[in-house]
Amino acid sequence: MKELYPLHGIVTVLNTPFTDADQIDFFALERNVREALDAGVAGFLAPAMASEVQKLSKKERVDMLECILQATEGKVPVFAGTASSSLDEARDVLLSYLELECKHVLFQLPFSNASQFKQDFLQLAECGPEVIMLQDWDAEGYGLPDHLIMDLFKAVPSFRCLKIETQAAGTKYTRMLELSRRRLHVSGGWAVNQMLDGLTRGVHSFMPTGMHWIYTRIFRDFQEGKLQEATALFNEILPVLAFSNQNLDISIHFFKRLLWKQGIYPTPNCRQPIVPFDDIHVDLAENLILKVLEIEKRLKNV
């Protein structure tokens, strides 16, 4: 059956670089985008949770998106995150994204009941984005009801992508692919430490942060049937994932430090409030970052 949205590969979620004056460093952001493109990513997502989206003003979000769109030059899709504290704010920022001719958006909406969620989703969809990705985020539970996702998929032609970040993500990947007859584009994010499980289940893409060269090689090797190579490389980064995935804020700290050590971001700064990254974290991260740099050097020289 023909895919409704053929996107395969790594869609990287961009961390927001901050200067020492706590302003977005757009030159650093552009460097990160270009590095990711050189590594072969299939797209970008920002601003999202890894971008510290809730700490960004509307202007910062729009300026960030504009920078990314200009840097990508239409080579790959850019999904713009609409996460906001209210539906009105989400609609406002969505309309600003559309004014930039952004074709791809991510809806992240609070859930209290299926009726309310559907109503909010439909109101945002009426703004007219070309492609909608829905973020199914639930750090402690199983996320949105299957029937709600499928009702929206059938009702809204532009809803073509689902990003699953829930408990037991693997079985939900499988259910969504089967229920939609593989016509719904399914991606994984926070469950990147189960990346091989997701790829085996037929997930179309993964949306991690950083480590562009490593993730794209794992995905490519897997798709080319080089399962031993994909597994071996994935196993090399498992200590990194075990450390960084303990908490979203720790992940943000870690990958900003990695970008800093790579010379892509001039600071590892995060915006407050955020979980502290203490001296023990820094020491542990240092050794893991050195490992990542060694792997990247090896991959680039192949």
Side-chain angles (χ1 to χ4, degrees):
M1 181 173 292
K2 184 179 179 181
E3 293 179 306
L4 294 179
Y5 189 69
L7 172 66
H8 300 268
I10 299 301
V11 177
T12 195
V13 186
L14 293 164
N15 293 125
T16 305
F18 294 113
T19 67
D20 286 332
D22 200 34
Q23 302 297 312
I24 296 179
D25 188 329
F26 293 103
F27 294 106
L29 180 63
E30 184 176 344
R31 280 197 298 272
N32 194 9
V33 170
R34 296 195 182 283
E35 177 75 8
L37 287 172
D38 288 345
V41 301
F44 294 94
L45 168 60
M49 289 189 292
S51 316
E52 301 168 80
V53 62
Q54 298 290 5
K55 306 174 197 174
L56 302 177
S57 68
K58 176 193 170 183
K59 185 179 187 305
E60 286 176 323
R61 295 185 190 196
V62 175
D63 289 347
M64 185 177 185
L65 176 63
E66 185 174 20
C67 175
I68 298 165
L69 289 171
Q70 290 175 353
T72 56
E73 299 178 322
K75 296 174 182 176
V76 297
V78 177
F79 287 86
T82 64
S84 300
S85 59
S86 72
L87 183 63
D88 287 342
E89 286 185 4
R91 184 189 297 107
D92 186 35
V93 74
L94 171 58
L95 291 173
S96 295
Y97 291 160
L98 296 178
E99 288 177 4
L100 293 176
E101 299 184 356
C102 178
K103 298 179 180 179
H104 308 81
V105 296
L106 174 79
F107 286 3
Q108 182 179 351
L109 298 165
F111 179 88
S112 59
N113 61 71
S115 176
Q116 159 267 318
F117 190 94
K118 185 173 183 178
Q119 180 179 345
D120 290 352
F121 184 99
L122 294 175
Q123 285 191 43
L124 283 187
E126 287 176 358
C127 294
E130 186 172 314
V131 177
I132 297 170
M133 175 179 292
L134 175 60
Q135 180 151 354
D136 186 10
W137 166 263
D138 190 344
E140 299 179 355
Y142 302 109
L144 299 170
D146 293 3
H147 68 85
L148 173 59
I149 295 171
M150 295 313 303
D151 285 348
L152 291 170
F153 177 63
K154 294 172 183 176
V156 182
S158 54
F159 171 32
R160 289 295 167 255
C161 306
L162 177 67
K163 184 186 181 190
I164 295 174
E165 296 184 294
T166 67
Q167 294 293 312
T171 52
K172 194 160 193 179
Y173 300 148
T174 295
R175 293 199 310 275
M176 291 298 98
L177 290 168
E178 290 178 349
L179 288 171
S180 68
R181 297 166 63 197
R182 293 197 60 82
R183 289 167 67 80
L184 178 61
H185 181 280
V186 174
S187 62
W190 186 247
V192 69
N193 51 357
Q194 295 119 48
M195 182 178 180
L196 295 181
D197 174 85
L199 293 178
T200 302
R201 293 173 184 274
V203 166
H204 300 89
S205 63
F206 257 89
M207 299 190 172
T209 301
M211 299 199 297
H212 314 308
W213 294 88
I214 297 173
Y215 283 128
T216 54
R217 178 61 64 86
I218 293 170
F219 192 96
R220 184 166 64 250
D221 282 350
F222 188 94
Q223 296 302 320
E224 292 176 356
K226 301 176 182 177
L227 303 186
Q228 284 189 323
E229 291 90 338
T231 301
L233 183 53
F234 179 73
N235 287 343
E236 283 192 82
I237 63 168
L238 275 177
V240 175
L241 301 183
F243 176 79
S244 62
N245 271 41
Q246 61 185 292
N247 173 274
L248 178 59
D249 281 357
I250 296 299
S251 176
I252 292 169
H253 277 296
F254 177 83
F255 286 107
K256 283 197 175 183
R257 293 190 75 82
L258 172 60
L259 289 160
W260 176 48
K261 292 290 186 178
Q262 290 169 317
I264 297 171
Y265 284 4
T267 78
N269 296 352
C270 301
R271 185 166 280 180
Q272 297 297 325
I274 193 167
V275 169
F277 204 71
D278 65 15
D279 291 342
I280 295 176
H281 286 133
V282 170
D283 288 343
L284 292 170
E286 186 72 19
N287 290 328
L288 293 170
I289 287 170
L290 288 175
K291 180 63 175 177
V292 171
L293 296 179
E294 290 172 3
I295 297 171
E296 284 189 338
K297 182 178 180 181
R298 185 182 79 223
L299 294 178
K300 290 180 181 181
N301 290 333
V302 171

